[in-house]
Amino acid sequence: MLDLVVRGANLPDGRNGYDIGVIGGKIVEIAPQLAAPAAREIDARGRLVTPPFVDSHFHMDATLSVGRPRFNESGTLLEGIAIWAEQKPLLTAEDVRERALELCRWAIARGNLAIRTHVDICDDRLLAVDALLDVRETMAPYIDLQLVAFPQDGFLRDASARVNLLRALDRGVDVVGGIPHFERTMADGAASVRELCEIAAKRGLLVDMHCDETDDPLSRHVETLAAETMRLGLHGRVTGSHLTSMHSMDNYYVSKLLPLMLEAGVHAVANPLINIVIQGRHDTYPKRRGMTRVSEMAAIGINVSFGHDCVMDPWYSLGSHDMLEVAHMAVHVGQLTGREEMRGAFMSVTANGARTLGLAGYGLEVGKNADLVVLQAADPIEAIRLRANRLCVIRRGNVIAESPAVESQIFIGDRARRVDFGAGAQS
Ligand code: FE2
């Protein structure tokens, strides 16, 4: 007797019409037409069933605070950082907690069951750290939160950042962050990368740095990040986030850089919604797009995942924590319109993200966690095209979110017709 069976699913790898059997929160069987009875059945015929979406890069301490204390009128990264600095002294732990919990509810409804969130440690009170540690524990049955100790004002530039970062790690923050391009000099940026990687190596932690979030082609801290990863034996445990300077780098230099990143096993995270809004702000015309070289990195085997980065905060006033919106934007900004490239974009908001975070038990395989999302779409490309409705979100075999199928009735001529965009329109 199964606890749950999901019937007739289309799988992300292209297999169609499979049943997924669940016992004790784990996937126990994937096959066409499972005969075993089940306590609960979900009809997913013709629908894509995927492991959950993963957001590889987010800022939960700032989310849902747009307009406090003012709006970002220039739209630049630096005005966003200035507004956040004005807001920080006004934060309370309860405020951070409530906004983060609301964002988690949005994420669950969207089928995003894992988020790596940076938390600013440049506040001697560390109240956002404490609030998000509390949210991580409260929401653990429903969503995996991974926290990054993020020195927003610069690890070396801010006088108390070093002490506060170590305090945050002592309290249980999972990952060491950094922002080398925001240090005072290139030399300071490189020094910050070295010291932060050493801290991670000493404590056995992961690393995820905001790295080269600039249009300056000479901002090359990712090179130091990859070299330090190799020097300290951190292979596979380090992530470079944003990497937007790579968009503007010299092609010859990049032809040397990418193999170095691959050799070091550095994961790359692009944040398409934010990159297209923030980058190129100093350009007149033509304006650079700024997103990092997604298809070139993927082509040589670097693990590339996507983050939402911001939802309604000082840097970005839009969004609803929809990772399919992120993938949709990536396809457009990166001109990833080839069939394999679009399927790759879907992987960048699912399995690749799980690899970046190092999630255990993730995946649509026997023995993995029964964490599944049923989409109102037939396949990954249609899911991106429609930013498809999440019909059902399952965590450890339990349904934790449901949405009715979206359809319209249209009245043309003498009869009503039903339109279901996600019914498998040859994508
Ligand atoms: Fe970020």
Side-chain angles (χ1 to χ4, degrees), residues 57-59 118 150 210 213 241-242 271 274 309-310:
H57 186 113
F58 196 67
H59 294 264
H118 297 252
F150 176 47
H210 284 65
E213 191 184 1
S241 279
H242 287 287
N271 298 299
I274 308 311
D309 201 5
C310 307

Side-chain angles (χ1 to χ4, degrees), residues 35-53:
R40 179 164 187 184
E41 296 209 6
I42 292 173
D43 181 3
R45 282 173 296 170
R47 307 298 196 190
L48 174 63
V49 176
T50 176
F53 297 105

Side-chain angles (χ1 to χ4, degrees), residues 262-329:
L262 180 67
E263 190 182 2
V266 169
H267 306 280
V269 173
N271 298 299
L273 290 167
I274 308 311
N275 302 151
I276 196 65
V277 165
I278 297 277
Q279 303 312 132
R281 288 279 180 167
H282 290 231
D283 294 351
T284 53
Y285 288 94
K287 283 182 189 286
R288 283 168 287 182
R289 299 170 188 216
M291 191 170 79
T292 192
R293 303 191 188 199
V294 169
S295 55
E296 290 78 4
M297 287 192 283
I300 71 160
I302 294 170
N303 181 50
V304 183
S305 57
F306 298 152
H308 208 303
D309 201 5
C310 307
V311 169
M312 300 181 71
D313 70 9
W315 295 272
Y316 186 64
S317 60
L318 304 174
S320 64
H321 209 262
D322 182 347
M323 293 309 294
L324 283 172
E325 194 173 308
V326 172
H328 190 266
M329 181 59 76

Side-chain angles (χ1 to χ4, degrees), residues 61-69 82-91 95 99 125 313-314:
D61 48 0
T63 196
L64 305 181
S65 72
V66 65
R68 296 192 209 169
I83 292 170
W84 177 240
E86 292 166 31
Q87 186 183 156
K88 252 194 283 190
L90 310 175
L91 293 177
D95 167 48
R99 286 186 288 103
R125 300 171 300 168
D313 70 9

